[in-house]
Amino acid sequence: MNQIVDRINHFGVMAKPSGSVCNIDCTYCFYLEKENLYPDRKKQWRMNDTTLENYIRDQIQSQKGDVIEFVWQGGEPTLLGLDFFRQAVTFQEQYKGRKTVTNALQTNATLLDKEWALFFNKHHFLIGVSIDGDRISNDTYRLSRKGKSTFDDTLKGVELLKKHNVDFNTLTVVNAENVRRPLNVYAFLKRIGSQYMQFIPLVERKAIVPDRDGLILIQPTFEGESNLAEWSVQAKAYGKFLNTIFDYWIQNDLGKVFVMNFEQTMSQLVGRPGSCVFNETCGSSVAMESNGDVYSCDHYVYPEHKLGNINETSLIDLVNLPQNRKFGQDKRDNISVDCLQCEVRSVCHGGCPKHRFEPSSDGLLNRNYLCDGFKSHFSHAVPKMLETMRLLNHQLPMKKVKQEIKGRFYS
């Protein structure tokens, strides 16, 4: 048995103060069914003030750095109302001492109004808006609970953020529909004012029979019969989607539009941490439910991955439990034999363990479903990224860098 990874001193928390409760009903949402794990959710879905205070105090005390990041997600966190976040900011001011506190909130933006926007501006919240592209793409899977379009309400929310100078980015789920129109999606996001984008591949498997907790969308270790969900993106199509956007971006928008998928790969190439998906190990990005329960990852909110509760145990102790450190190490130790020989392993590391359910050449079910897409994208993009960084290190103006890249790779 390999030695468990070193003590975790730096970690992130994805707080879900509204749990899985949401005002819209995205077809593909992996989190909505988590209500099955909390039978009392219909009556007690909100994070109470005691848990909120315990979390904020402990998050500040547990982190070693001088900047403390709070990330609020759901479900839909704005369902909690502004008073909840006013109280959160009050607790942050009470406990931060000389540290700097930042807040990021992910939302579908449909419930935003002027009061929300003014609050976000005043307290410098970074807002992540979930939107999958234009009306056709967004309304394929992101409908209201009555089956109505959410597109117009989301755009109204975006316009409010822009009007009141709130920093925002966009989070786009790449699925079976919008993967076919990469430049349309990219151009639309630019058109609505997004200058920081993230493209998240959608991969889910559906159990033929629910597990003992009533969950249909399963984790890699599920041994029952299952099928790939019909909305999942095909691996090669995802690679083509990224490459198409990358080619346009690096020739036209480098330095103007920030695409997390590309920026974080470039960070890895110079030795800085990138996305947890492509780090060698994981376990340092935990999720916290509305009652204070903490899990190793928001994609692993299953009973066997519960670490404890913030009302009973400090976050720094929870993330350093042997269970969680082993969870993080397993990503490295259970990597596919095919990955060990792969030329893009240094920027991929086998991807997210959630997606490792395809057979490898040795017969083990630990090859990432998205492997062909990742290999296609990194093989295509990394040489251009390396040359771009070389040119930037030589202090070339951005316009000249783009000209050089275009001449060398695209002429």
Side-chain angles (χ1 to χ4, degrees):
M1 180 180 293
N2 294 323
Q3 183 180 2
I4 293 179
V5 293
D6 295 336
R7 181 174 175 81
I8 298 171
N9 291 315
H10 303 282
F11 61 92
V13 181
M14 185 176 290
K16 297 175 177 286
S18 60
S20 58
V21 175
C22 191
N23 63 314
I24 69 174
D25 190 19
C26 298
T27 306
Y28 57 60
C29 183
F30 72 93
Y31 213 80
L32 288 177
E33 69 172 8
K34 300 302 181 183
E35 65 184 6
N36 293 335
L37 301 178
Y38 295 92
D40 61 347
R41 174 136 293 169
K42 289 185 178 180
K43 294 181 179 180
Q44 300 179 23
W45 59 275
R46 300 171 58 92
M47 178 179 286
N48 61 42
D49 283 354
T50 298
T51 301
L52 177 62
E53 182 174 10
N54 288 342
Y55 164 54
I56 288 175
R57 181 182 60 247
D58 190 72
Q59 167 80 326
I60 292 170
Q61 293 175 350
S62 289
Q63 298 288 357
K64 301 297 183 184
D66 292 328
V67 179
I68 312 300
E69 299 176 348
F70 287 88
V71 179
W72 309 97
Q73 203 187 55
E76 175 50 45
T78 60
L79 285 171
L80 292 158
L82 257 177
D83 284 345
F84 176 88
F85 290 99
R86 290 190 180 108
Q87 184 62 69
V89 169
T90 298
F91 285 142
Q92 290 170 350
E93 289 295 317
Q94 179 180 345
Y95 291 111
K96 71 178 185 179
R98 296 186 177 182
K99 295 185 177 182
T100 299
V101 167
T102 66
N103 287 281
L105 182 144
Q106 184 176 342
T107 176
N108 56 46
T110 61
L111 301 178
L112 300 185
D113 58 19
K114 180 179 178 181
E115 193 175 11
W116 275 107
L118 290 173
F119 173 83
F120 291 149
N121 174 282
K122 178 180 179 180
H123 297 287
H124 309 291
F125 272 58
L126 171 63
I127 306 303
V129 177
S130 296
I131 186 167
D132 288 351
D134 60 18
R135 184 182 299 275
I136 294 173
S137 290
N138 194 72
D139 286 349
T140 299
Y141 299 116
R142 299 184 61 83
L143 297 175
S144 72
R145 292 192 170 276
K146 293 183 179 180
K148 304 294 185 180
S149 170
T150 62
F151 182 74
D152 290 332
D153 287 339
T154 298
L155 285 195
K156 287 177 184 177
V158 170
E159 290 304 313
L160 276 166
L161 296 175
K162 292 193 292 185
K163 180 178 179 180
H164 295 285
N165 299 311
V166 178
D167 290 335
F168 77 96
N169 55 37
T170 51
L171 298 94
T172 298
V173 174
V174 185
N175 54 61
E177 192 284 325
N178 63 6
V179 73
R180 298 174 294 178
R181 302 185 296 125
L183 291 183
N184 286 348
V185 172
Y186 180 72
F188 169 79
L189 295 175
K190 283 177 60 179
R191 206 157 54 239
I192 66 171
S194 177
Q195 293 182 307
Y196 196 106
M197 308 173 187
Q198 180 177 356
F199 298 106
I200 308 164
L202 177 60
V203 181
E204 296 288 352
R205 292 187 301 157
K206 299 165 68 175
I208 302 299
V209 177
D211 69 10
R212 64 181 183 274
D213 298 303
L215 303 179
I216 295 289
L217 300 179
I218 56 176
Q219 58 178 312
T221 55
F222 182 80
E223 296 180 352
E225 189 176 357
S226 66
N227 293 314
L228 190 70
E230 60 272 19
W231 53 77
S232 297
V233 67
Q234 295 296 312
K236 290 183 179 179
Y238 180 62
K240 183 178 180 180
F241 178 94
L242 290 180
N243 286 344
T244 303
I245 292 176
F246 176 83
D247 287 343
Y248 183 90
W249 170 81
I250 202 165
Q251 295 178 77
N252 300 281
D253 291 335
L254 181 69
K256 296 188 296 184
V257 176
F258 299 88
V259 180
M260 192 211 76
N261 308 66
F262 310 148
E263 303 287 342
Q264 293 204 343
T265 300
M266 294 173 83
S267 290
Q268 283 183 276
L269 290 172
V270 295
R272 294 196 297 266
S275 165
C276 68
V277 171
F278 299 119
N279 287 341
E280 187 174 26
T281 60
C282 53
S284 59
S285 298
V286 299
M288 186 184 68
E289 260 285 346
S290 60
N291 70 341
D293 285 348
V294 177
Y295 296 82
S296 291
C297 172
D298 80 314
H299 286 290
Y300 281 81
V301 177
Y302 300 94
E304 55 267 47
H305 294 288
K306 178 181 170 181
L307 302 174
N309 189 286
I310 188 62
N311 293 303
E312 301 166 358
T313 311
S314 170
L315 281 165
I316 192 67
D317 291 333
L318 290 174
V319 297
N320 280 290
L321 287 172
Q323 171 189 348
N324 188 55
R325 291 160 68 190
K326 183 179 185 301
F327 173 84
Q329 179 183 286
D330 282 347
K331 179 181 181 182
R332 180 181 63 200
D333 293 348
N334 293 336
I335 195 169
S336 162
V337 66
D338 301 324
C339 291
L340 299 177
Q341 309 300 322
C342 181
E343 63 272 17
V344 300
R345 179 189 174 190
S346 62
V347 289
C348 177
H349 294 297
C352 181
K354 178 186 177 181
H355 300 149
R356 294 180 181 180
F357 54 80
E358 293 281 293
S360 296
S361 58
D362 60 0
L364 295 179
L365 298 177
N366 62 352
R367 183 177 184 267
N368 197 302
Y369 166 83
L370 291 166
C371 178
D372 290 341
F374 289 153
K375 186 177 292 187
S376 168
H377 171 57
F378 291 128
S379 297
H380 177 80
V382 166
K384 301 173 181 67
M385 290 178 176
L386 290 171
E387 179 62 12
T388 298
M389 291 187 291
R390 187 188 72 80
L391 294 170
L392 289 172
N393 286 336
H394 282 77
Q395 308 298 314
L396 266 69
M398 190 65 73
K399 182 178 180 180
K400 181 66 173 177
V401 171
K402 287 187 280 193
Q403 290 174 344
E404 290 284 336
I405 293 297
K406 187 171 184 178
R408 176 169 176 181
F409 294 103
Y410 297 100
S411 59

